[in-house]
Amino acid sequence: MHPNLPTSSGSAAADVAPSPVLKLARSWATSLPRTSGDARARRSALALAEAIIPGTERIMAADEVTVAGVEELLGELHPQASRVWRIAQRALDAAAVSRTGRFFHTLSAARQQELLASWQRDPVLRAPLALTALLLKMVHFDRLDVYTSLGGVRNVVTKMEQPRYLEQIQPAAEWREGDIDCDVVVVGTGAGGAIVGRELAERGHAVVFLEEGNHHRRDSFDGSIVAAHRTFYRFAISVGNVLMPIFMGRLLGGSTAINTGTAFRTPPWVLERWCEEMDTDVFGQENMAGYFDRVERTLGVETARREIIGPIADFMGRGCDAHGWRHAALRRNAPECDGKGFCNFGCRTDARKSAQLSYLPKALEKGALALTGARVDKVLIERGRATGVEVETGSGRRLQVRAKAVVLAGGAIPTPLLLQRQGLANRSGQLGRNLSLHPSSGVVAIAKEAIRPSHFTPQGYASEEFLRDGIMIIAAQPDVNVTPVILADVGQPLMKMVEQQDHLASMGVMIRDARPAGRVRAVPGGALITYDVNGEDIARMHRGMVRTCQLAFAAGAKRVHPLLMGGVTLSSMDDLEKFKKRKVAAKDLVLSSYHPLGTCKMGRDPKTSVVDLDHQVHDVKGLFIADGSTVPGPLGVNPQVTIMAMATRAAERIADHL
């Protein structure tokens, strides 16, 4: 990410110009503040960074470059992000005075470590500490000098093949041909849009894809966590009784370009629930089987090979066998995977057949056009019918794409926001409601044997034993720059864990939301996403963690760390029994989401749903939605194949309408 940062010895090549972050760091560290308060704040920020990431003989400690990198990243992510960061730091600075009578930066290193440990246990201070630590760890361990000291290797691709279909992908800012007429305009190129567009292009329809993100190929996927979140991800976070980051793709191929490739079919009992709730049999197993088959053939779905899964399979298998639980290798859309890249930052080898590789090329070869960097902010309506969209191209010009059918496929958060801002499709009052998030957390175990997680595929093994109960236990092997970010530890305990990375067995715990009640609202200047984790789901996550800890101890783990606020260490079965009886509250959970679903409810009745069973918006003819927003509720499994199968079916219905 930052090739010109100083090495761990503190030196830099004399003939290399300083990077922007290094210039910012030098300015940050040496500028003379106008007030003593400013100086104190800067010294405290640096002291916090050095205490949270104190380094080891092998790994350099956080420094002014790290702090400046956080400031730069926050300034790019959101206008208010830097303000929240500074508030968190001021809270910790004030807490140091109230506890010790002295500012944090004036304390000895030993006293600073004691204070960090006490803050982790404090119900008020652990949240600002966790936020501060998260950002520092994300930036610091991603620095090239630190990343390489951990054994990380940046991806370097110098020669890229240039298939002819790439000529059909153009930046919207460079489009000079004026407004466009077509049969179908598809907004979004992920698991919904790419599939619908290809299916319709192959039927002979003129298709135009509009993608808000840019086109990134494997030479862009260098393994940097900071670069990935700047470039490939859409920033979103839900607020409620837990703050939950929501990770979504914003590039050609959408989230399919930056997911793990896990390819589950919709569980049969979920399909049955849909049919019962919507009084239909169109989503029954027999009717959906053909769509699943077609998607899996196109994606090249197959069971992950043991050699790319790694020792985590033996670890999980041993633990599951001890309890008599089911376990197996996962099916993935990565038939040529070599298991040596962190999928969530993009596949470095094109082994994973995501939408931009498996679906879009066929559509583009049929003459479809894809414009990237194209932000759609208006659906064109004439006499109650959708007739196209209006696009902000990024160059100050606006573009209209007129079509016989408009397909919105931006995802479960962008799609309802677009419609809300225009006041469309909400006669039912359900637009933006019914948000499910598949809340995810995890457990990290210290295994006796070497697991070497960064050398294998991140997600290749799982236990589905508790899937009907809404709990999935799944391997979650991070790269070396990601491991410190997911760990709840700070200070010296963090560094001890980082030094043991090769023996860390990381497993994710994902739950199916019991009663999806989240909501997406368009507000001035952005979006408001609200979501409360209810008592049933808190208990479900706790059960999932307990069972994962049971698995780990049965597999021979020396220590087990469920990922909760403040950090939890279990060293024995007695500790596990105490954890099992612990009353876990929402504020204790460390959650994230990768699967937002359900915000454009599907159903027969226009009074209670947004789209009909053909994916057409009840209120606007010719306007269709084909993305995760129309999936009727949580699945309990990764939704990629479900969305694609539904989109394949939707394309048939749209073709009939055309």
Side-chain angles (χ1 to χ4, degrees):
M1 175 61 187
H2 306 308
N4 301 321
L5 293 181
T7 64
S8 56
S9 64
S11 63
D15 58 345
V16 178
S19 71
V21 174
L22 186 51
K23 289 180 180 178
L24 178 62
R26 288 171 176 167
S27 171
W28 181 90
T30 61
S31 61
L32 295 175
R34 295 182 179 178
T35 69
S36 59
D38 290 337
R40 186 175 64 245
R42 289 173 183 268
R43 288 196 296 269
S44 291
L46 180 57
L48 278 167
E50 292 170 337
I52 289 170
I53 308 175
T56 67
E57 290 185 4
R58 182 171 66 97
I59 306 166
M60 67 184 296
D63 56 18
E64 65 272 9
V65 178
T66 302
V67 178
V70 173
E71 290 279 359
E72 182 186 49
L73 177 63
L74 290 174
E76 294 178 5
L77 287 178
H78 194 275
Q80 294 299 318
S82 293
R83 181 171 176 267
V84 174
W85 155 258
R86 293 190 183 100
I87 289 173
Q89 290 185 318
R90 282 200 294 269
L92 297 176
D93 203 19
V97 176
S98 66
R99 295 280 181 92
T100 69
R102 298 168 61 187
F103 292 108
F104 189 84
H105 68 273
T106 67
L107 301 173
S108 68
R111 188 68 182 97
Q112 288 176 347
Q113 292 297 314
E114 292 174 2
L115 205 54
L116 290 180
S118 69
W119 287 348
Q120 281 202 293
R121 297 187 296 269
D122 189 288
V124 175
L125 294 175
R126 63 185 183 181
L129 175 60
L131 172 63
T132 302
L134 173 69
L135 292 166
L136 287 168
K137 290 189 286 187
M138 180 176 172
V139 169
H140 182 74
F141 291 99
D142 196 60
R143 288 171 50 174
L144 184 60
D145 45 1
V146 180
Y147 182 62
T148 53
S149 73
L150 292 168
V153 179
R154 288 280 189 253
N155 183 43
V156 178
V157 178
T158 56
K159 294 182 179 180
M160 292 284 292
E161 61 284 357
Q162 299 294 325
R164 290 189 62 184
Y165 72 78
L166 293 178
E167 297 173 2
Q168 297 298 107
I169 304 172
Q170 297 189 36
E174 298 176 10
W175 180 258
R176 296 292 181 266
E177 303 298 322
D179 292 345
I180 302 171
D181 289 303
C182 60
D183 293 330
V184 185
V185 59
V186 181
V187 181
T189 57
I195 286 69
V196 169
R198 170 181 161 166
E199 294 286 333
L200 293 173
E202 289 189 326
R203 285 171 167 81
H205 296 289
V207 176
V208 173
F209 294 99
L210 299 173
E211 170 58 52
E212 182 179 355
N214 295 316
H215 182 205
H216 295 281
R217 304 179 69 196
R218 64 189 179 92
D219 57 336
S220 297
F221 303 141
D222 66 357
S224 167
I225 184 173
V226 173
H229 284 85
R230 276 178 167 149
T231 313
F232 313 140
Y233 280 92
R234 185 185 303 275
F235 179 78
I237 189 166
S238 69
V239 296
N241 56 0
V242 179
L243 292 178
M244 196 181 327
I246 305 168
F247 298 98
M248 301 169 286
R250 189 172 65 91
L251 73 168
L252 200 71
S255 295
T256 73
I258 49 171
N259 67 17
T260 59
T262 303
F264 284 102
R265 291 192 178 195
T266 318
W269 57 88
V270 173
L271 293 175
E272 291 170 7
R273 187 192 77 221
W274 293 359
C275 291
E276 181 178 347
E277 290 177 352
M278 293 187 286
D279 190 23
T280 182
D281 63 357
V282 299
F283 294 110
Q285 288 188 69
E286 291 185 2
N287 289 326
M288 290 298 294
Y291 300 119
F292 288 128
D293 290 342
R294 183 165 181 168
V295 167
E296 290 174 349
R297 283 195 303 270
T298 303
L299 295 178
V301 172
E302 62 179 33
T303 301
R305 306 183 308 279
R306 184 61 71 100
E307 61 265 28
I308 69 164
I309 300 172
I312 190 72
D314 298 320
F315 182 89
M316 292 183 67
R318 192 164 63 243
C320 287
D321 286 342
H323 293 286
W325 299 344
R326 290 173 296 158
H327 58 93
L330 292 171
R331 287 171 60 77
R332 304 176 67 238
N333 61 317
E336 300 171 6
C337 179
D338 63 3
K340 295 180 181 178
F342 190 65
C343 308
N344 300 70
F345 300 157
C347 182
R348 307 181 190 189
T349 64
D350 282 349
R352 184 188 57 220
K353 303 306 177 187
S354 41
Q356 82 277 19
L357 298 176
S358 57
Y359 278 90
L360 285 175
K362 291 292 185 183
L364 300 174
E365 288 167 1
K366 291 290 184 180
L369 172 68
L371 296 182
T372 59
R375 188 174 67 86
V376 174
D377 54 16
K378 184 179 182 180
V379 178
L380 302 176
I381 306 291
E382 295 180 8
R383 294 187 294 277
R385 184 177 186 87
T387 59
V389 297
E390 196 163 284
V391 181
E392 169 56 54
T393 65
S395 64
R397 296 172 53 251
R398 298 190 67 78
L399 171 70
Q400 286 193 350
V401 182
R402 306 189 69 83
K404 299 174 184 176
V406 176
V407 181
L408 302 184
I413 291 175
T415 292
L417 289 174
L418 170 62
L419 293 169
Q420 286 174 358
R421 288 178 180 129
Q422 199 174 339
L424 295 176
N426 199 24
R427 178 167 43 137
S428 65
Q430 295 301 306
L431 183 66
R433 295 180 180 271
N434 310 298
L435 172 68
S436 66
L437 290 177
H438 280 171
S440 298
S441 189
V443 169
V444 177
I446 300 178
K448 294 178 181 178
E449 72 269 34
I451 302 295
R452 298 190 301 146
S454 64
H455 293 262
F456 301 97
T457 188
Q459 199 169 88
Y461 212 80
S463 172
E464 298 181 35
E465 180 68 22
F466 308 104
L467 195 56
R468 298 242 10 192
D469 186 32
I471 299 170
M472 169 74 78
I473 302 173
I474 195 163
Q477 305 194 95
D479 198 359
V480 293
N481 55 343
V482 181
T483 298
V485 178
I486 66 174
L487 294 172
D489 302 274
V490 298
Q492 295 295 347
L494 169 67
M495 302 315 300
K496 289 179 182 178
M497 290 287 284
V498 171
E499 288 283 23
Q500 300 179 82
Q501 282 208 62
D502 278 355
H503 286 265
L504 298 186
S506 299
M507 294 162 284
V509 180
M510 184 180 79
I511 63 171
R512 184 184 70 242
D513 321 47
R515 295 183 300 279
R519 190 171 179 185
V520 178
R521 298 180 181 90
V523 296
L528 175 63
I529 305 168
T530 54
Y531 184 96
D532 281 332
V533 184
N534 61 46
E536 187 175 347
D537 283 342
I538 295 170
R540 179 172 285 168
M541 179 59 75
H542 185 209
R543 286 199 306 275
M545 286 184 166
V546 168
R547 287 164 176 161
T548 307
C549 292
Q550 291 172 332
L551 180 163
F553 276 121
K558 294 187 289 185
R559 291 192 305 280
V560 181
H561 301 260
L563 300 182
L564 294 173
M565 290 291 289
V568 176
T569 300
L570 310 179
S571 300
S572 66
M573 292 303 295
D574 287 342
D575 289 345
L576 178 56
E577 281 302 309
K578 293 176 183 176
F579 178 64
K580 188 176 181 180
K581 296 174 182 177
R582 173 176 171 170
K583 180 66 174 177
V584 175
K587 63 183 179 181
D588 298 321
L589 298 175
V590 179
L591 301 176
S592 57
S593 171
Y594 304 85
H595 309 149
L597 301 169
T599 52
C600 294
K601 186 177 180 181
M602 176 180 282
R604 294 178 177 277
D605 189 350
K607 296 179 181 178
T608 59
S609 58
V610 177
V611 299
D612 64 21
L613 303 190
D614 290 349
H615 291 256
Q616 185 169 211
V617 171
H618 289 298
D619 302 359
V620 184
K621 298 302 179 185
L623 180 60
F624 299 83
I625 302 176
D627 57 24
S629 68
T630 63
V631 173
L635 311 173
V637 298
N638 304 45
Q640 173 178 241
V641 170
T642 295
I643 297 170
M644 289 178 163
M646 292 183 70
T648 305
R649 178 184 172 276
E652 291 182 350
R653 302 303 183 270
I654 295 168
D656 291 343
H657 282 274
L658 287 171

